[in-house]
Amino acid sequence: MGTKLTWFGHSAFQIETGEHTVLIDPFISGNPVATVSPDELAADFILLTHGHGDHIGDTVDIAKRTGATVVGNFEVANWISAQGVENTSSPNTGGTASFDFGSVYLTLAFHSSSMPDGSYGGSPNGMVITLNSGLKIFHAGDTALFSDMQLIGEMGLDVAIIPIGDFFTMGPDESVRAIQWLKPRYVLPCHYNTFPPIAQDAAQWANAVSAKTLSSAIVLDPGGTHEF
Ligand code: NI
Ligand code: MN
Protein backbone atom coordinates (compact mmCIF):
# COMPACT_ATOMS: atom_id res chain seq x y z
CA MET A 1 0.00 0.00 0.00
CA GLY A 2 1.25 3.47 -0.86
CA THR A 3 1.84 6.44 1.39
CA LYS A 4 -0.66 9.29 1.15
CA LEU A 5 0.57 12.84 1.69
CA THR A 6 -2.09 15.53 2.19
CA TRP A 7 -1.49 19.30 2.42
CA PHE A 8 -3.78 21.46 4.58
CA GLY A 9 -2.16 24.73 3.50
CA HIS A 10 0.79 26.56 5.14
CA SER A 11 3.20 23.96 6.63
CA ALA A 12 0.50 21.51 7.73
CA PHE A 13 0.68 18.01 6.26
CA GLN A 14 -0.77 14.57 6.94
CA ILE A 15 1.06 11.34 6.17
CA GLU A 16 -1.02 8.16 6.03
CA THR A 17 1.30 5.18 6.05
CA GLY A 18 0.41 1.58 6.87
CA GLU A 19 -1.96 1.82 9.81
CA HIS A 20 -0.59 5.13 11.09
CA THR A 21 -1.61 8.75 10.59
CA VAL A 22 1.08 11.35 11.21
CA LEU A 23 0.39 15.10 11.24
CA ILE A 24 3.09 17.74 10.77
CA ASP A 25 2.65 21.32 12.07
CA PRO A 26 -1.19 21.12 12.21
CA PHE A 27 -2.11 24.82 11.95
CA ILE A 28 -5.77 24.40 10.95
CA SER A 29 -8.30 26.57 12.84
CA GLY A 30 -6.27 29.78 12.40
CA ASN A 31 -5.29 28.88 8.84
CA PRO A 32 -7.34 30.87 6.29
CA VAL A 33 -6.77 28.33 3.49
CA ALA A 34 -7.43 25.09 5.42
CA THR A 35 -10.31 23.02 4.04
CA VAL A 36 -10.77 20.79 7.11
CA SER A 37 -11.69 21.28 10.75
CA PRO A 38 -9.22 20.16 13.43
CA ASP A 39 -12.03 18.06 14.99
CA GLU A 40 -12.15 15.75 11.96
CA LEU A 41 -8.44 14.94 11.91
CA ALA A 42 -7.15 11.59 13.10
CA ALA A 43 -3.60 11.38 14.46
CA ASP A 44 -1.33 8.78 16.00
CA PHE A 45 1.66 11.16 15.96
CA ILE A 46 2.06 14.93 15.60
CA LEU A 47 5.48 16.22 14.53
CA LEU A 48 6.40 19.85 15.27
CA THR A 49 9.24 21.75 13.56
CA HIS A 50 9.30 24.73 15.95
CA GLY A 51 7.29 26.71 18.47
CA HIS A 52 5.63 29.42 16.37
CA GLY A 53 1.84 29.57 16.49
CA ASP A 54 1.47 28.93 12.76
CA HIS A 55 3.10 25.52 13.34
CA ILE A 56 1.89 24.49 16.82
CA GLY A 57 -1.62 25.36 15.60
CA ASP A 58 -4.22 22.94 16.98
CA THR A 59 -1.70 20.42 18.30
CA VAL A 60 -2.83 20.51 21.94
CA ASP A 61 -6.53 19.99 21.14
CA ILE A 62 -5.88 17.25 18.57
CA ALA A 63 -3.43 15.42 20.86
CA LYS A 64 -5.81 15.52 23.82
CA ARG A 65 -8.69 14.20 21.71
CA THR A 66 -6.75 11.47 19.89
CA GLY A 67 -4.05 10.53 22.40
CA ALA A 68 -1.44 11.18 19.70
CA THR A 69 2.24 11.32 20.65
CA VAL A 70 3.66 14.80 20.01
CA VAL A 71 7.27 14.89 18.76
CA GLY A 72 9.30 18.09 18.83
CA ASN A 73 12.56 19.41 20.18
CA PHE A 74 13.10 19.40 23.94
CA GLU A 75 11.61 22.84 24.63
CA VAL A 76 8.67 22.42 22.26
CA ALA A 77 7.74 18.95 23.54
CA ASN A 78 8.05 20.01 27.18
CA TRP A 79 5.80 23.02 26.55
CA ILE A 80 3.22 20.76 24.88
CA SER A 81 3.44 18.38 27.84
CA ALA A 82 2.84 21.29 30.25
CA GLN A 83 -0.44 22.01 28.39
CA GLY A 84 -1.70 18.61 29.58
CA VAL A 85 -0.80 16.44 26.59
CA GLU A 86 -0.04 12.96 27.87
CA ASN A 87 2.34 11.52 25.28
CA THR A 88 5.36 13.47 24.04
CA SER A 89 8.83 12.70 22.72
CA SER A 90 11.56 15.34 22.98
CA PRO A 91 14.65 14.71 20.85
CA ASN A 92 16.94 17.57 19.82
CA THR A 93 18.87 18.73 16.75
CA GLY A 94 20.98 15.95 15.25
CA GLY A 95 19.10 13.23 17.11
CA THR A 96 16.81 10.50 15.82
CA ALA A 97 13.70 9.24 17.57
CA SER A 98 12.10 5.93 16.53
CA PHE A 99 8.40 5.12 16.55
CA ASP A 100 5.98 2.47 15.24
CA PHE A 101 5.68 4.22 11.85
CA GLY A 102 9.40 4.91 11.32
CA SER A 103 11.95 7.42 12.58
CA VAL A 104 12.31 11.18 12.85
CA TYR A 105 15.72 12.89 12.56
CA LEU A 106 15.86 16.55 13.57
CA THR A 107 17.93 18.67 11.18
CA LEU A 108 19.11 22.24 11.41
CA ALA A 109 16.84 25.08 10.33
CA PHE A 110 17.84 28.77 10.30
CA HIS A 111 14.91 30.65 11.80
CA SER A 112 13.70 31.51 15.32
CA SER A 113 11.44 29.67 17.74
CA SER A 114 9.27 30.89 20.59
CA MET A 115 6.13 29.26 21.94
CA PRO A 116 2.65 30.85 21.49
CA ASP A 117 2.88 32.29 25.05
CA GLY A 118 6.29 33.83 24.32
CA SER A 119 8.33 31.27 26.23
CA TYR A 120 11.59 29.89 24.82
CA GLY A 121 11.10 27.38 22.02
CA GLY A 122 14.62 26.01 21.59
CA SER A 123 16.21 25.78 18.15
CA PRO A 124 13.95 25.43 15.12
CA ASN A 125 14.25 22.20 13.15
CA GLY A 126 13.60 20.45 9.90
CA MET A 127 12.75 16.74 10.01
CA VAL A 128 13.83 13.75 7.95
CA ILE A 129 11.03 11.22 8.39
CA THR A 130 11.96 7.68 7.36
CA LEU A 131 8.86 5.53 7.09
CA ASN A 132 8.87 1.75 7.62
CA SER A 133 8.29 1.42 3.86
CA GLY A 134 11.70 3.08 3.35
CA LEU A 135 10.22 6.30 1.96
CA LYS A 136 12.26 9.28 3.20
CA ILE A 137 10.40 12.59 3.53
CA PHE A 138 12.15 15.84 4.50
CA HIS A 139 10.00 18.64 5.94
CA ALA A 140 12.27 21.71 6.12
CA GLY A 141 10.15 23.63 8.64
CA ASP A 142 10.70 27.39 8.46
CA THR A 143 14.21 28.17 7.30
CA ALA A 144 16.55 30.34 5.33
CA LEU A 145 18.69 28.74 2.66
CA PHE A 146 21.82 27.16 4.18
CA SER A 147 24.59 25.17 2.52
CA ASP A 148 24.40 22.24 4.98
CA MET A 149 21.30 21.25 3.04
CA GLN A 150 23.89 19.34 0.99
CA LEU A 151 24.40 17.03 4.00
CA ILE A 152 20.67 16.44 4.27
CA GLY A 153 20.63 15.66 0.54
CA GLU A 154 23.28 12.99 1.11
CA MET A 155 20.69 11.06 3.15
CA GLY A 156 18.90 10.21 -0.12
CA LEU A 157 15.54 11.96 -0.02
CA ASP A 158 12.47 10.70 -1.84
CA VAL A 159 10.34 13.73 -1.00
CA ALA A 160 11.24 17.24 0.18
CA ILE A 161 8.73 19.77 1.50
CA ILE A 162 10.22 23.25 1.51
CA PRO A 163 9.02 26.80 2.18
CA ILE A 164 8.86 29.15 -0.82
CA GLY A 165 6.87 32.06 0.65
CA ASP A 166 9.76 34.47 1.27
CA PHE A 167 9.47 37.17 4.01
CA PHE A 168 9.46 34.69 6.96
CA THR A 169 11.57 32.03 5.19
CA MET A 170 13.52 31.54 1.99
CA GLY A 171 11.69 32.49 -1.17
CA PRO A 172 11.21 30.78 -4.54
CA ASP A 173 14.64 31.57 -6.03
CA GLU A 174 16.55 30.37 -2.96
CA SER A 175 14.32 27.29 -2.78
CA VAL A 176 15.56 26.25 -6.21
CA ARG A 177 19.13 26.35 -4.86
CA ALA A 178 17.93 24.32 -1.87
CA ILE A 179 16.44 21.69 -4.20
CA GLN A 180 19.75 21.46 -6.08
CA TRP A 181 21.41 20.64 -2.75
CA LEU A 182 18.67 18.40 -1.30
CA LYS A 183 18.28 16.38 -4.55
CA PRO A 184 14.88 14.87 -3.69
CA ARG A 185 13.01 12.80 -6.29
CA TYR A 186 9.91 14.89 -5.60
CA VAL A 187 9.52 18.35 -4.07
CA LEU A 188 6.44 20.10 -2.69
CA PRO A 189 6.23 23.81 -1.82
CA CYS A 190 4.76 25.06 1.47
CA HIS A 191 4.48 28.18 3.64
CA TYR A 192 3.10 30.35 0.81
CA ASN A 193 -0.28 31.92 -0.13
CA THR A 194 -1.55 31.69 3.45
CA PHE A 195 -1.19 35.42 4.14
CA PRO A 196 -0.50 38.45 1.88
CA PRO A 197 3.24 38.79 2.70
CA ILE A 198 3.92 35.24 1.48
CA ALA A 199 1.90 35.30 -1.77
CA GLN A 200 3.77 33.38 -4.51
CA ASP A 201 3.09 31.92 -7.96
CA ALA A 202 3.50 28.16 -7.49
CA ALA A 203 3.15 27.37 -11.20
CA GLN A 204 6.05 29.69 -11.99
CA TRP A 205 8.04 28.08 -9.18
CA ALA A 206 7.33 24.60 -10.61
CA ASN A 207 8.60 25.73 -14.02
CA ALA A 208 11.84 26.93 -12.42
CA VAL A 209 12.20 23.59 -10.60
CA SER A 210 11.88 21.60 -13.82
CA ALA A 211 14.23 23.95 -15.71
CA LYS A 212 16.97 24.10 -13.07
CA THR A 213 16.83 20.88 -11.00
CA LEU A 214 16.46 17.12 -11.50
CA SER A 215 13.51 16.96 -9.05
CA SER A 216 9.83 16.68 -9.96
CA ALA A 217 7.65 19.42 -8.48
CA ILE A 218 4.26 18.47 -7.03
CA VAL A 219 1.97 21.45 -6.41
CA LEU A 220 -1.14 20.58 -4.38
CA ASP A 221 -4.11 22.77 -3.56
CA PRO A 222 -4.99 22.97 0.14
CA GLY A 223 -6.81 19.72 0.91
CA GLY A 224 -5.02 17.96 -1.95
CA THR A 225 -3.38 14.54 -1.67
CA HIS A 226 -0.56 12.79 -3.54
CA GLU A 227 0.09 9.07 -3.19
CA PHE A 228 3.68 7.79 -3.25
NI1 NI B 1 8.20 30.20 12.15
MN1 MN C 1 5.94 29.79 9.98
Side-chain angles (χ1 to χ4, degrees), residues 44 46 111 130 139 145 192 216-217:
D44 300 300
I46 302 174
H111 188 64
T130 305
H139 188 302
L145 179 67
Y192 72 100
S216 301

Coordinates of all heavy atoms in Angstrom, one line a residue, residues 44 46 111 130 139 145 192 216-217:
D44 N -2.1 9.6 15.1 CA -1.3 8.8 16.0 C -0.1 9.5 16.5 O 0.4 9.3 17.6 CB -0.9 7.5 15.3 CG -2.1 6.7 14.8 OD1 -3.0 6.4 15.7 OD2 -2.3 6.5 13.6
I46 N 2.0 13.5 16.1 CA 2.1 14.9 15.6 C 3.5 15.4 15.7 O 4.1 15.4 16.8 CB 1.1 15.9 16.4 CG1 -0.3 15.3 16.4 CG2 1.2 17.3 15.9 CD1 -1.3 16.1 17.3
H111 N 16.2 29.9 11.6 CA 14.9 30.6 11.8 C 14.9 31.1 13.3 O 16.0 31.2 13.9 CB 13.8 29.7 11.4 CG 12.4 30.2 11.4 ND1 12.0 31.2 10.5 CD2 11.3 30.0 12.2 CE1 10.7 31.5 10.7 NE2 10.3 30.8 11.7
T130 N 11.7 8.9 8.1 CA 12.0 7.7 7.4 C 10.9 6.7 7.7 O 10.8 6.2 8.9 CB 13.4 7.1 7.7 OG1 14.3 8.1 7.4 CG2 13.6 5.9 6.8
H139 N 10.8 17.4 5.8 CA 10.0 18.6 5.9 C 11.0 19.7 6.5 O 11.5 19.5 7.6 CB 8.8 18.4 6.9 CG 7.9 19.5 7.0 ND1 8.2 20.8 7.4 CD2 6.5 19.6 6.8 CE1 7.2 21.6 7.4 NE2 6.1 20.9 7.0
L145 N 17.8 29.6 3.4 CA 18.7 28.7 2.7 C 20.0 28.6 3.4 O 20.5 29.5 4.0 CB 19.0 29.4 1.3 CG 19.9 28.6 0.4 CD1 19.3 27.3 -0.1 CD2 20.3 29.5 -0.8
Y192 N 3.4 29.3 1.8 CA 3.1 30.3 0.8 C 1.6 30.4 0.6 O 0.8 29.5 0.9 CB 3.8 30.1 -0.5 CG 3.2 29.0 -1.4 CD1 2.4 29.3 -2.4 CD2 3.5 27.7 -1.1 CE1 1.8 28.3 -3.2 CE2 2.9 26.6 -1.8 CZ 2.0 27.0 -2.9 OH 1.5 26.0 -3.6
S216 N 11.2 16.4 -9.4 CA 9.8 16.7 -10.0 C 9.0 17.5 -8.9 O 8.9 17.0 -7.8 CB 9.1 15.4 -10.2 OG 9.9 14.6 -11.1
A217 N 8.5 18.6 -9.4 CA 7.6 19.4 -8.5 C 6.2 18.9 -8.4 O 5.6 18.5 -9.5 CB 7.7 20.9 -9.0

